[in-house]
Amino acid sequence: MTNIPTPDICDDYPDVEILEPLLVNFGGLEAFHGPVRTVKCFEDNSLVKQAVDEPGDGAVLVVDAGGSTRCAMLGDMLAEKAAGNGWAGVIMYGCVRDVDELAETELGIQALAAHPRRSEKRGEGQRDIPVTFAGVTISPGQWLYADNNGVLIAERQLPLG
């Protein structure tokens, strides 16, 4: 499936939800889409690591990291693992690091900002639950479409192209 620009998706499907424009592109793929899987955690990326270690099957990992700007929740090693395991992208309501390497990784990555400090590893958090940030509640099984124009959430896969 080709990547259709999010403005065109908005024109064709006015009922899609649009995340507030908080996120910046850091990945090697500027446009990406797929079914949503979620992680909710705060300054502990143990469940992010667990998720990207699993087959992604073209899904987008949506991480509600509480909007923390005190540490990074994704770096080059986890991004490489995600790309190698077939994830389409990662949406991080938090920070990332190793941004030069992320830009070379075949993975869509959008996050709030860059931060050099790594997160804790306490095994805390939740997976596959609805998460809310940027004005939208995002649930596993919905579809996410992202590019340099923004991030959209649809209830189902949209017939594009």
Side-chain angles (χ1 to χ4, degrees), residues 19-27 39-45 48 61-75 90-99 102 109-119 131-134 138:
L19 272 66
E20 294 168 0
L22 306 174
L23 304 172
V24 177
N25 254 325
F26 288 98
V39 168
K40 184 175 177 130
C41 52
F42 186 74
E43 298 181 0
D44 176 349
N45 73 347
V48 175
L61 184 63
V62 176
V63 181
D64 178 355
S68 173
T69 55
R70 299 189 305 197
C71 66
M73 298 292 286
L74 181 81
V90 176
I91 297 290
M92 179 65 66
Y93 184 54
C95 294
V96 296
R97 68 184 200 164
D98 306 314
V99 297
L102 296 185
I109 302 167
Q110 290 199 20
L112 290 176
H115 196 291
R117 179 175 289 127
R118 69 179 178 200
S119 77
V131 296
T132 303
F133 60 87
I138 305 166

Side-chain angles (χ1 to χ4, degrees), residues 3-4 14 22 56-57 65 82 105 148:
N3 282 309
I4 307 294
L22 306 174
D57 300 320
T105 304
N148 284 324

